[in-house]
Amino acid sequence: MRKKKTPGKSKAVPIAIGIGITIVVLVIAINYYLDQTSISGQRFGDQLSQIQTDLKNETLNFDAYLTQYKSGQISKDQMLKVTDEHISAMKNILPRYDQLKAPESFGPALQLFKLSTETQIDSDNALREWITTGDNATRVKSDQLLQQSFQYEMNALQSYENAKSKGSQ
């Protein structure tokens, strides 16, 4: 006796194969997306780190000159020239923040890093005025702005670490 074919079975196999292929494609696509997001995040972190390193190096270099100026090793005119070059270098670093493609969760940290740099430039401008005039009030203003810049940077680092830990969960 011959077995009758069940009408649904012949269509069920191709449908099951199609569903299986779809699931595999979706898993591959999701993994690819997650890898690309991870790579993008890593690239952002590396670029931000480079900006911060450049800022640190510029600031350390400037601070060395400032120490020499305070100890009388370089003249007021030399220090004003160094200060102008420093402020120019800082202003050239600032637009690099806008060129970063930050993952959304890192946006607040990026804005705080930029604000820190802007405030540091304001501090440097006040310091330049102090060098020019000798007015201690501008020196105090410069110190206050520098402290504010430092606080923005600490907040930026905290925000960055928070975003990073949320992204790895």
Side-chain angles (χ1 to χ4, degrees):
M1 193 159 147
R2 205 171 185 200
K3 247 186 173 177
K4 280 188 170 181
K5 283 188 175 179
T6 311
K9 274 193 173 180
S10 62
K11 289 184 180 178
V13 171
I15 291 173
I17 290 172
I19 290 172
I21 290 172
T22 302
I23 291 172
V24 169
V25 168
L26 283 174
V27 167
I28 291 170
I30 289 169
N31 282 331
Y32 176 78
Y33 172 77
L34 292 175
D35 285 346
Q36 291 304 305
T37 301
S38 175
I39 290 168
S40 169
Q42 181 65 41
R43 188 176 308 123
F44 165 73
D46 291 347
Q47 291 170 339
L48 181 60
S49 177
Q50 185 59 55
I51 291 171
Q52 293 306 112
T53 298
D54 292 348
L55 275 171
K56 177 182 147 197
N57 291 339
E58 177 59 36
T59 301
L60 288 173
N61 187 39
F62 178 70
D63 287 346
Y65 280 107
L66 187 58
T67 300
Q68 289 177 350
Y69 174 70
K70 288 177 182 177
S71 68
Q73 295 175 346
I74 61 174
S75 71
K76 179 178 179 176
D77 288 339
Q78 287 173 308
M79 190 61 206
L80 285 172
K81 182 177 185 269
V82 167
T83 303
D84 289 342
E85 290 169 357
H86 168 70
I87 291 171
S88 177
M90 295 292 286
K91 286 180 178 178
N92 287 335
I93 290 173
L94 198 54
R96 291 170 53 190
Y97 288 111
D98 296 327
Q99 296 167 359
L100 294 177
K101 293 186 182 4
E104 190 176 326
S105 60
F106 288 92
L110 181 59
Q111 290 308 310
L112 284 166
F113 278 120
K114 184 177 180 184
L115 185 57
S116 172
T117 302
E118 290 168 339
T119 306
Q120 187 174 348
I121 292 169
D122 291 342
S123 170
D124 294 337
N125 282 320
L127 186 65
R128 187 191 190 291
E129 187 178 336
W130 169 73
I131 294 167
T132 302
T133 65
D135 180 6
N136 281 333
T138 58
R139 175 62 194 216
V140 170
K141 179 181 175 184
S142 173
D143 289 345
Q144 290 170 340
L145 287 166
L146 193 58
Q147 181 60 38
Q148 185 64 52
S149 172
F150 179 75
Q151 190 59 50
Y152 287 139
E153 186 164 350
M154 292 298 100
N155 292 343
L157 288 168
Q158 183 65 48
S159 177
Y160 182 87
E161 288 302 318
N162 289 345
K164 197 168 142 183
S165 68
K166 285 179 186 173
S168 65
Q169 290 179 353

